[in-house]
Amino acid sequence: MVQYKDAALALLASIVVGQATSIQTYSTAAFMIPNNRWKDSAIITRTRSNSRRYSAIPYDERSSSSDSLQEQDRGFSSTGLLNLPDDDDEIVDALLAKKEERRVARQQSTRKPVYQVTLPIVVIRATVATTNENDVTATESSSDANGERLASLVAKGQDIAIANTVGMSLRQVYSGRRLSELALDVDTLRFQSFGGELQGRDVSEEETDKSLGSLEVLQNSVLKLVKESFDGVVVSSVTRGGLAWQAGVRAGDVLAATSATIGSKLWPKSTLDGVRSAISSRKVISSSMDFEFRRLTVDKVEAESVQSFELSLARPIGINVEDTDDGYVTVTGISDKASEVVANNIRIGDRVLSVESSIGGQMWDVYNTDGLTSAVTTRMPGQPVRIRFERVETIDEEAVTTRLPQPESAPSSKSTMTDAVDGFRRAGRVAAASEAPAAQAQQALPGFQSAAQKMLLSRSRDLLRTFIARNEVTKNLKVADRVIEAVVDSGAALDGRTLTLILTAYNMCNNADKTIATFEDVFGLAGDGSEKEVKRVHDGRLSADIAALNTFTISGLLRAHAVRGDYESALRVLAAMEGDAAMTIGGKPTRSWSGKGDPLNMLPDTRAYNIALAAAANRGTKDGLDAALSIFESMPNPSLSNPPLGKPAKNLVTFNTMINAYARFGHYEDALGVFKTLKESKLQPDRVTYTALIKTSIKSGNIEKALDILDDMKWASIKPDIVSYNTIIEALCNANRLFEAKDLINEMETAGLSPDSMTYGLLMKGLLRANKPGPCLTFFESACSDSRTVALTENVQLYTTAISAAAALGDHERALDLVARMNQAGVRPNKKTLTALMGACISGRKYEAAAEIFSKIKNPDSHAISVGLQALCMSGNFDSAVELITDQRSGQKTLSGKQVMSGFNSLLRSALESGEYDIAREALTSLLQAGYIPSKFTFQAMSEGLNLHRDMPRTAALLKARQRSLPSEGTFDFLLFVLDSLEARKLTVNSEFYSSILVLGAELGGLEMRISSILTRSRKNSNQKEVKISLDPTDVVAESRLILWEELYKNYSTLKEDLSNGAQLPSVRVPASKQFGRVLAAENAVSYRGRVAAGSRRR
């Protein structure tokens, strides 16, 4: 019986006593750290009170441990550590087994000495000692003594050849100690089976006879030292006398790293493909390469000391972390630019246990690197975050250690085959029963695939199926690339199944270009079905057997065209499959593929035509719809007998694809006609058919018809799925029919169909669109509090909508809390989430925080840039705002023209509110130079930024109140600058803005009122012809200089005489509008009762 708590506490006591440290309580203990730098950083170190997470010793070993404790420290008292309640035996045993497995795994994977060897990476071909023709002739006619001499020369040549080769093969070890079927020969860089690895080598010698050239193979006893979860590369065999053997490499050693392509750095390796690629690239610039190995032998057992500590760190932290097999997030690297606190206190191998929450100061456990990254990146640069680390250190007791290689330590050859792994034993028996020349003769036959090549293709198919089933998009592309590289290197010819999986993997990544390029590289045929010449990337080394060109591989090519919406290429491919070389589609003649593939499986089937139909439908244009209809009508209905060698008949997918094509354009009547044709045939509509009809009716704007189709679907005994319901719910929410959408959700639940995250998202967006952010947040929180639906809320779209609702309420604290909950749930914010958070900070007047969030968004979209521009303007960061709007002002980048105008308006308003008139001038100049015309919102933004009034005050008290809060100096200058800028492009000024200028002049009085009075004489309607204006009507000058308004204001005393001599002033173009009465009132306020200047006249 194991008493877990007693054992764990005894182990804790032994560790603390061993380090001469006193224990204050049974749950916490302070460890003395010899490094003084730890004291300066105020690190908190303690043992964890939850002892179940760490190693413990069995109860039957506790007595001996206790004895040793008493011998080490007689004064230690265990009062308070005993008489604890017993744990449940089964739970304790399971926990002990799991912790013991982690302890052994750590012993085998960390702190192991390694050794490095340098080996040549040149290919040494099989050679024998050279002799001239005279020696051979003499030997053939000589006596037995000469024969022995020749044998001696040949043996000597073989010894020399062995001594100049690496003589080492590597195999992949997968989880569960499974060996790969193929080994990599380091000398030839070719993959070989167990039999090929043993071919021509002696592995059955006596123990005392380790002759040169014999083979040491991987033993089961050595393989068992590798942990179950290990996934890496081991040495499967070493030739005695070879360079690897002389360097001390032995079978069973683990290959840890190899040299980089350039330089002396070592890069870790865990796959055969990675090793092969590294050697291939290294040999281009160097003839040698460094290898790093490690070797395990059971010598002693190791104990551990587990310590935890906390650090308060600021971004950027400067550490690299990754998820390890034992379930921890482990530090794998420390940046050279890391702070002194990080460099002095954190070591590679430390574990990250928990991180401080962004709100509340609580410590949240860290389970993966994504959670840690999300928690840290929510902090602003420079903002500290507390992180708790854990360090596992070994105590110098019995442990599993490694030893460096010894010169002659190989096991006997006899025991080698007895204890060898199963593959070598079977290969040895096969090699004894058959001769290699027969296999070589078969391999020379045309079209023959060796056993190794067949194994490679089989394993490649298994690998591709695995990643395709997982739907891992980014990895599919890499896996397909690696499979192609391996096939090219092995010289194998692709079969139809393997090639189909490769093309499927590329299509799942939406990488149509890669699919087409691979097809062209394999077959040398144009992927668009035309006669153009193609460039084969691998120069013909990537090939396939003739049967590989069939309907399955061509269907993969057609899907690539469907992804791109390239129906013309799809139609040319169909013509090529049918052998029609006399057709021209899209201006390109087709090429016949007859005789180039499987003659029994080349004609296009219904699936091929359906893919071509989808390609036309995905085009999304009127031409694409016409092409889809043409393809659809060219296929006979399934109720008709097909003519010999005719086109394949339609099936249910054909009808559904055509209905979806009409749904894109909202052609309900046409889709209904296809539906009726379907019902008249022998086919029966399914759920996809009815859902496509629902989409068509909604696209045409008839939601009532969509509800009727849903009822028809139920009457036809076809149960609607979540897609059918969500399609209608989305239409109801967009139409602001929220109660009907809620009733439809209740109907779903009654029918036994639970809403998904998309259903909740649609309803939340509908509430937000209806200007109901409060109910939107309430709906989200109710879903989060329900255990049945909480999993559905862990979705970035729902959190983003909830944050947008908080922004609409102006509750930025609620928005920040939602982001913190996202991180806690392991949901990573995206661009839209951060954009919504910016809007919430702007609503809460946290402009600097909003600008900081904008700086974190990589590759922002147009909406993010528009909101970020507002944040920069409102936070006073005008330089960044001007730079951003200048980059976007052409309207040809991320922002649309409307968004650019909105950005200029925000910049003008914020700059004028802050008194930054130079920024405002630059913004207005950039707006006009970009070809934009100021809108009423532009004039409104300037009026609000300057706090202008459109009407004169009605009372003297109000006039005095306004005069006490008059705009700052420079306001009137800027207004005149606006008038000059507009007239330079012959643009009109908004009537309300014009009135505001006159009202401000009247309020200021003096020179400003005089200039305003002159403005009234320059005003004209926008439909009037341009005339020259002078203060003296009798003074007409043919050519006189133009005085700008701002120039006149600044130099009025010197320029007023020029006005009398006929100088011109810019026109003020004010369009006629309903506000004309306000304009006349403003002009009357600045009119003088006498002459305004010498030579002037009243209007």
Side-chain angles (χ1 to χ4, degrees), residues 46 354 502 595 655:
R46 63 174 66 88
S354 56
I502 292 174
F655 286 98

Side-chain angles (χ1 to χ4, degrees), residues 7 28 32 87 95-96 143 172 186 191 233 334 342 360 388 468 594 648 656 761 870 944 980 998 1003 1047 1051 1056:
T28 60
M32 301 299 295
D87 292 331
L95 290 172
L96 280 175
S143 60
Q172 182 89 29
V186 177
F191 291 96
V233 178
I334 300 176
V342 173
R388 182 173 297 158
I468 290 173
S594 297
N656 291 343
Q870 295 181 31
E944 293 174 354
D980 289 335
L998 300 182
E1003 292 174 348
E1047 181 184 4
N1051 305 287
K1056 61 181 180 179

Side-chain angles (χ1 to χ4, degrees), residues 606-621:
T606 302
R607 176 180 54 186
Y609 270 89
N610 287 342
I611 299 173
L613 178 62
N618 292 341
R619 188 64 171 267
T621 61

Side-chain angles (χ1 to χ4, degrees), residues 197-253:
E197 193 172 353
L198 294 179
Q199 184 175 344
R201 302 296 175 88
D202 186 7
V203 291
S204 58
E205 301 165 307
E206 295 297 327
E207 180 176 355
T208 58
D209 183 16
K210 302 182 180 67
S211 62
L212 185 70
S214 61
L215 208 65
E216 183 192 51
V217 298
L218 180 61
Q219 307 293 301
N220 271 323
S221 57
V222 178
L223 188 61
K224 289 180 181 178
L225 296 179
V226 179
K227 62 180 181 180
E228 285 282 344
S229 60
F230 176 78
D231 192 348
V233 178
V234 298
V235 179
S236 61
S237 65
V238 183
T239 303
R240 291 185 174 88
L243 295 174
W245 179 271
Q246 296 174 21
V249 182
R250 298 295 180 264
D253 290 356

Side-chain angles (χ1 to χ4, degrees), residues 388-405:
R388 182 173 297 158
F389 296 88
E390 179 183 78
R391 179 170 298 159
V392 179
E393 296 182 327
T394 57
I395 301 176
D396 192 13
E397 298 180 5
E398 292 277 310
V400 175
T401 62
T402 58
R403 56 180 176 80
L404 294 178

Side-chain angles (χ1 to χ4, degrees), residues 236-315:
S236 61
S237 65
V238 183
T239 303
R240 291 185 174 88
L243 295 174
W245 179 271
Q246 296 174 21
V249 182
R250 298 295 180 264
D253 290 356
V254 177
L255 176 61
T258 62
S259 296
T261 302
I262 300 176
S264 59
K265 290 186 177 180
L266 294 177
W267 293 95
K269 293 292 182 291
S270 59
T271 63
L272 288 181
D273 289 339
V275 175
R276 187 177 187 278
S277 176
I279 297 175
S280 300
S281 58
R282 176 75 175 185
K283 67 170 52 179
V284 176
I285 61 171
S286 177
S287 60
S288 62
M289 190 171 193
D290 292 336
F291 296 80
E292 185 178 278
F293 298 91
R294 68 169 181 263
R295 184 180 305 158
L296 298 177
T297 57
V298 180
D299 292 335
K300 54 184 180 178
V301 181
E302 184 174 71
E304 295 177 348
S305 172
V306 181
Q307 304 173 8
S308 63
F309 59 94
E310 290 182 3
L311 292 176
S312 181
L313 305 174
R315 290 184 56 201

Side-chain angles (χ1 to χ4, degrees), residues 849-1030:
E852 185 64 28
I853 294 171
F854 176 68
S855 65
K856 296 181 180 180
I857 303 178
K858 297 180 179 180
N859 301 320
D861 55 13
S862 60
H863 183 52
I865 293 177
S866 181
V867 179
L869 188 58
Q870 295 181 31
L872 292 174
C873 294
M874 294 178 178
S875 64
N877 193 351
F878 296 113
D879 293 338
S880 299
V882 170
E883 181 181 358
L884 180 62
I885 196 64
T886 302
D887 292 339
Q888 301 288 336
R889 68 184 184 183
S890 63
Q892 298 175 355
K893 294 188 177 181
T894 305
L895 295 183
S896 63
K898 184 177 180 180
Q899 290 173 326
V900 171
M901 283 295 299
S902 177
F904 274 115
N905 296 342
S906 299
L907 182 57
L908 285 169
R909 179 187 292 106
S910 300
L912 293 174
E913 287 176 349
S914 303
E916 297 288 345
Y917 295 106
D918 292 338
I919 299 295
R921 288 170 182 262
E922 183 179 354
L924 183 62
T925 302
S926 299
L927 183 146
L928 296 174
Q929 288 178 351
Y932 292 99
I933 299 176
S935 64
K936 66 176 182 179
F937 300 106
T938 307
F939 291 108
Q940 181 180 351
M942 290 188 289
S943 297
E944 293 174 354
L946 294 172
N947 192 24
L948 299 179
H949 303 284
R950 297 176 298 176
D951 301 310
M952 288 294 296
R954 298 178 180 273
T955 62
L958 185 58
L959 176 61
K960 291 182 179 180
R962 286 190 184 181
Q963 290 178 342
R964 286 194 297 268
S965 60
L966 289 175
S968 61
E969 183 179 356
T971 301
F972 201 74
D973 303 63
F974 175 78
L975 293 174
L976 296 179
F977 164 78
V978 173
L979 296 179
D980 289 335
S981 301
L982 294 175
E983 179 57 23
R985 289 196 56 196
K986 302 297 187 279
L987 298 176
T988 61
V989 59
N990 181 269
S991 60
E992 294 184 359
F993 186 75
Y994 171 72
S995 301
S996 300
I997 297 175
L998 300 182
V999 170
L1000 178 62
E1003 292 174 348
L1004 293 173
L1007 179 59
E1008 287 79 3
M1009 184 173 179
R1010 187 175 298 276
I1011 298 297
S1012 300
S1013 177
I1014 300 175
L1015 281 176
T1016 62
R1017 303 180 186 281
S1018 298
R1019 177 185 65 81
K1020 67 175 183 176
N1021 294 332
S1022 58
N1023 57 355
Q1024 291 178 337
K1025 294 183 179 180
E1026 185 173 357
V1027 296
K1028 297 178 181 179
I1029 299 177
S1030 173

